[in-house]
Amino acid sequence: MLADRRLALKAMLAAGGTLAFDIQIAGAQGAKPGGAASARINAYVAIAADNTVTITSKNPEIGQGVKAMLPMLIAEELDVAWGSVKVEQAVADQSRFGEQFAGGSMSTPMNWMPMRQAGATARAMIVAAAAKQWGVPAADITTSAGEVIHAASKRRAPYAALAAAAAKEAVPDVASLKLKDPASFTIIGKPVPGPDTPAIVAGKPLFGVDTVLPGMVHAALLTAPVRGATLKSHDAAKALALPGVRKVVPLRQLGHDDAPVDALAVMADSWWTASEARKLLDAQWDNGGREKHSDATFAAAAKAAFAGAPAASVRKEGDAAAALAKAAKVVSAEYSYPFLAHATLEPQNCTAQVKDGKAELWAPSQMPDEGKGMVAKALGVAPDAVTVNLTRIGGGFGRRLQSDFMVLVAMIAREVPGVPVKLILEREEDFRLDFFRPAGFHKFDAALDAQGKLTAFRTHLVTFGAKGQPGRGGELPNDLVPANLVPNADLGMTVLDSNVPLGWLRAPGSNALAYATQAFLDEVAAAAGKTLPAFMLDVLGEARAVVPPKIPGVPDIFQPPPFDTGRAAGVIREVMKNAAWQEKPAKGRGFGFYFSHLGYFAVVADVAEADGALRVTKMWVAGDIGSTVINPMNAEQQIRGSMIEGIGHVIGGLKVPVEGGQVQVANFDAYPLPRIDVVPPIEIAMVRTDNPPTGLGEPALPPVVAAVANAISSLTGKRVRSLPYQA
């Protein structure tokens, strides 16, 4: 998976006797959303005179636990005690650290081998130095907890004592490295708390919104109620008359090229003053006809699209139409789901200082290098004139993959050279300027033969985008289950234009597709006289790797991965066993399965009614992310978070209505995120398979939505064909 790799490690003595390793691994495969394959992955290790080890975590920390996970890989192969490790956050510098982003659950598959090799290389150089000093073969030397040991002569020394000598050693070839047997792991596979947890609990400043710099001023934005409207005119007199207000700056067509905005920025001595002043601005906007967009017009357009053929074909196998025509049973249904917001608890924010042709930013960004490039372009400077300091991120779920807030604050700061400016979006503006999870409409048809076997599957997805191309998260994959498992499949898509900007939301695409396809298949299974998990096992068939058709013009790194039916069946059987699934389950029990982000997950949910309201009473989940769960503590946190988020997609009313081109959500009163009282007991099981470990931030979410919806259908006897659930 990570072949054709070259590793180089530069060792040098820093001040105070610290041995610093700058590790560079070239050619490692991997990708960021919308970007190119990784060219280099770097890590930085420093061993101090007191034998403490500082490991730099290169990727943004967004709550997914990467700030512990990446250093754990290095520390394991370096063979040091975790208690002696200090973790530091890297700055955004892909020339040193390679790809730096938080998205796609890619941190584990991209870094599993490179980070381990980095630690093993540093350890090998230290061992080589000890062998020379002691006059013994390096093969006779062992290490343990940051010490070098020669058992025969009973000599041992801390790593720090060999720093100077190790700095002169040749870098070993990567092929010569001997990585640890997993049976000897002392860090990988053990529960490790996040390094920031004590500071978070103590309320110490870590997040972008906490940034404070000398002489800093604050900024707040006013944008148009209709997304995409342009500024016609404005009167800032009342705002400027407010004590503490420094300046009002018009911003025109800034942000992402596919969703630029006009805005008015108020700068003031405090954020509260800036926020209050924005309310006094008198602005007139040109909607440009965008007010025609609404949920009603979208639904009407979808209905019209379903009356005809899809605008584009995604996959055709066999002859689905003929199979449907001669089927013993045909099941047809339509499903839909709404736009969703990211609704991060930390609103979008960023701090910038622009001076003498250079810019420095303090950014809670999931994709800082893209943001750096966008800021450089907006300011008209070279990318290396922009420095981005990574702050901890207080919720992202994909929202901070879009770096529009970095551009906006940089252009505001340009107006006051040398003065740091912190921009914080009001919650109203945060919702208004979101990049939303696409809404979608599905028309499904399935054919069953006389034995209840699935012989054909057809769907027409009406999604959103521009110029016939689906937007972020609105794609219809050609490997959609079960289209990749039946002899006759027909996947088609029609794209609607709208003024609603689209963005990746945790498990992009999959979070909606899992609901629609698995809820429909629950109907198909019932028509076949089976439960959904039993039906899925039948559809999966024998264990094999199903390779999807290649997408023309798409690099290999972005092609959909093979689908392992054996791994899929493994998690389905595991969750059925743990939930004591019956051939005829009790009312209120639902099931869902999905494969995304290289992870296989199956979920069983029980739903009951109490005091006139539905609630999930228990959940079981089984997942397969390969051979190793690097940090079980964080894995459990990620899975539980996915379960809770999935409940919110179905129960509680999460949706972003659009009326007159305006997003009809301004705060959490209209967008009720799940609270602790909805959290049921959750039983988690991990199925270990002989595959490289993969990520966990996203793949557990999609099947939850389907399982909860199917449980409600079972309880009420009425199919949940539209989200969120409404009685």
Side-chain angles (χ1 to χ4, degrees):
M1 182 176 179
L2 295 170
D4 190 24
R5 186 185 298 105
R6 300 187 308 280
L7 181 147
L9 184 148
K10 300 176 183 178
M12 59 183 178
L13 280 175
T18 298
L19 177 62
F21 295 95
D22 186 6
I23 304 158
Q24 301 175 353
I25 303 170
Q29 295 181 9
K32 66 181 180 181
S38 174
R40 295 200 313 174
I41 298 178
N42 306 338
Y44 183 82
V45 179
I47 302 173
D50 64 357
N51 219 39
T52 60
V53 180
T54 298
I55 300 178
T56 300
S57 181
K58 70 187 187 74
N59 284 357
E61 175 57 61
I62 197 170
Q64 83 280 41
V66 74
K67 197 171 181 179
M69 185 273 287
L70 293 179
M72 286 172 69
L73 299 177
I74 296 171
E76 182 68 74
E77 298 293 350
L78 183 58
D79 206 11
V80 296
W82 184 253
S84 68
V85 172
K86 297 178 180 178
V87 178
E88 289 185 350
Q89 178 65 60
V91 298
D93 186 353
Q94 293 199 164
S95 67
R96 287 184 59 202
F97 298 105
E99 297 284 5
Q100 291 177 281
F101 68 94
S105 294
M106 290 299 296
S107 290
T108 295
M110 286 181 64
N111 293 293
W112 166 248
M113 288 302 294
M115 296 295 99
R116 291 178 63 196
Q117 290 171 339
T121 299
R123 175 186 172 276
M125 294 176 69
I126 294 170
V127 167
K132 284 186 179 179
Q133 281 194 12
W134 295 342
V136 299
D140 293 345
I141 293 176
T142 61
T143 59
S144 177
E147 284 193 318
V148 182
I149 303 163
H150 185 246
S153 63
K154 298 182 179 180
R155 279 180 288 190
R156 60 196 308 143
Y159 284 0
L162 297 156
K168 300 175 184 178
E169 289 298 321
V171 176
D173 186 87
V174 66
S176 70
L177 296 175
K178 185 177 180 181
L179 300 180
K180 284 186 177 182
D181 186 315
S184 67
F185 285 165
T186 60
I187 298 173
I188 294 175
K190 303 298 188 293
V192 173
D196 290 341
T197 300
I200 292 172
V201 172
K204 294 183 179 179
L206 288 170
F207 300 92
V209 76
D210 296 324
T211 302
V212 176
L213 298 172
M216 184 176 74
V217 298
H218 302 261
L221 285 188
L222 177 70
T223 62
V226 173
R227 183 65 180 264
T230 55
L231 181 65
K232 289 198 300 185
S233 63
H234 72 282
D235 185 347
K238 292 181 181 178
L240 290 169
L242 200 66
V245 173
R246 296 193 175 196
K247 199 168 188 177
V248 174
V249 181
L251 303 172
R252 297 186 182 277
Q253 296 300 285
L254 293 175
H256 277 266
D257 291 342
D258 63 351
V261 298
D262 280 11
L264 291 170
V266 179
M267 279 186 281
D269 294 338
S270 73
W271 182 82
W272 179 256
T273 299
S275 176
E276 289 297 295
R278 67 179 282 281
K279 301 173 185 177
L280 301 177
L281 294 168
D282 182 8
Q284 290 76 46
W285 308 92
D286 182 358
N287 294 332
R290 297 173 179 86
E291 66 277 0
K292 67 184 180 183
H293 298 292
S294 68
D295 289 348
T297 59
F298 299 150
K303 183 177 181 180
F306 287 157
S313 176
V314 174
R315 178 173 184 165
K316 283 192 176 182
E317 298 285 344
D319 190 337
L324 286 160
K326 66 181 182 181
K329 286 185 180 180
V330 173
V331 182
S332 300
E334 294 182 11
Y335 280 78
S336 64
Y337 40 84
F339 292 103
L340 291 181
H342 293 86
T344 60
L345 292 187
E346 180 191 23
Q348 310 318 303
N349 68 91
C350 191
T351 302
Q353 183 176 27
V354 177
K355 184 180 180 182
D356 300 331
K358 295 183 178 181
E360 184 169 8
L361 290 88
W362 291 259
S365 171
Q366 290 183 245
M367 197 176 287
D369 193 64
E370 181 190 70
K372 176 189 283 191
M374 291 170 59
V375 168
K377 180 181 178 181
L379 292 175
V381 301
D384 60 8
V386 180
T387 299
V388 178
N389 303 288
L390 296 181
T391 66
R392 189 177 174 99
I393 302 172
F397 311 109
R399 169 61 181 94
R400 288 177 164 99
L401 289 168
Q402 315 308 324
S403 302
D404 51 307
F405 51 91
M406 297 174 67
V407 176
L408 291 168
V409 73
M411 297 304 284
I412 298 168
R414 185 179 66 168
E415 298 297 312
V416 284
V419 177
V421 178
K422 179 161 70 174
L423 171 68
I424 302 176
L425 297 188
E426 291 217 13
R427 187 61 66 185
E428 173 190 7
E429 294 291 352
D430 197 21
F431 273 108
R432 189 180 284 171
L433 293 182
D434 205 347
F435 289 73
F436 300 91
R437 194 284 300 270
F441 305 85
H442 286 265
K443 183 179 181 181
F444 290 110
D445 300 290
L448 295 169
D449 64 15
Q451 289 73 44
K453 186 177 181 65
L454 184 67
T455 60
F457 176 80
R458 181 171 67 190
T459 188
H460 180 180
L461 167 64
V462 175
T463 185
F464 292 84
K467 299 179 180 178
Q469 297 300 310
R472 304 178 189 92
E475 303 87 353
L476 181 63
N478 70 5
D479 59 343
L480 181 71
V481 175
N484 57 340
L485 302 171
V486 294
N488 303 288
D490 189 347
L491 303 180
M493 178 176 60
T494 298
V495 178
L496 303 180
D497 289 337
S498 84
N499 70 320
V500 182
L502 305 179
W504 297 293
L505 177 70
R506 189 179 194 177
S510 301
N511 55 54
L513 293 170
Y515 152 68
T517 57
Q518 288 283 292
F520 174 65
L521 288 179
D522 197 38
E523 294 194 56
V524 179
K530 299 178 181 180
T531 65
L532 179 55
F535 185 75
M536 284 297 304
L537 289 172
D538 181 59
V539 171
L540 290 168
E542 64 181 12
R544 66 200 187 280
V546 179
V547 180
K550 281 200 168 185
I551 304 173
V554 174
D556 287 346
I557 193 68
F558 294 116
Q559 293 291 344
F563 176 74
D564 190 321
T565 61
R567 296 178 72 181
V571 297
I572 292 174
R573 291 193 176 100
E574 181 70 15
V575 82
M576 290 174 70
K577 178 189 72 175
N578 296 339
W581 185 273
Q582 303 293 317
E583 184 177 350
K584 291 185 177 180
K587 285 187 176 181
R589 172 161 283 200
F591 169 85
F593 162 81
Y594 211 70
F595 167 66
S596 71
H597 296 84
L598 306 178
Y600 298 78
F601 276 83
V603 174
V604 171
D606 283 350
V607 171
E609 185 175 0
D611 300 325
L614 293 180
R615 63 178 296 112
V616 180
T617 57
K618 190 161 184 180
M619 303 179 84
W620 294 261
V621 56
D624 176 357
I625 58 167
S627 62
T628 307
V629 177
I630 297 171
N631 186 350
M633 177 182 290
N634 188 68
E636 180 177 345
Q637 293 169 353
Q638 290 300 301
I639 292 172
R640 290 186 184 278
S642 293
M643 301 298 109
I644 297 166
E645 187 169 347
I647 292 171
H649 283 209
V650 185
I651 301 174
L654 284 188
K655 65 183 296 186
V656 177
V658 178
E659 183 64 38
Q662 299 184 32
V663 170
Q664 302 296 303
V665 172
N667 215 316
F668 292 120
D669 60 336
Y671 200 78
L673 298 177
R675 294 176 179 262
I676 195 169
D677 61 333
V678 309
V679 181
I682 300 170
E683 291 189 14
I684 301 169
M686 301 307 294
V687 178
R688 308 298 178 101
T689 55
D690 188 19
N691 294 281
T694 53
L696 197 50
E698 293 165 285
L701 170 63
V704 184
V705 188
V708 175
N710 288 338
I712 296 173
S713 295
S714 168
L715 180 69
T716 63
K718 181 181 178 181
R719 286 289 168 185
V720 179
R721 292 196 178 122
S722 182
L723 293 183
Y725 169 73
Q726 293 179 328

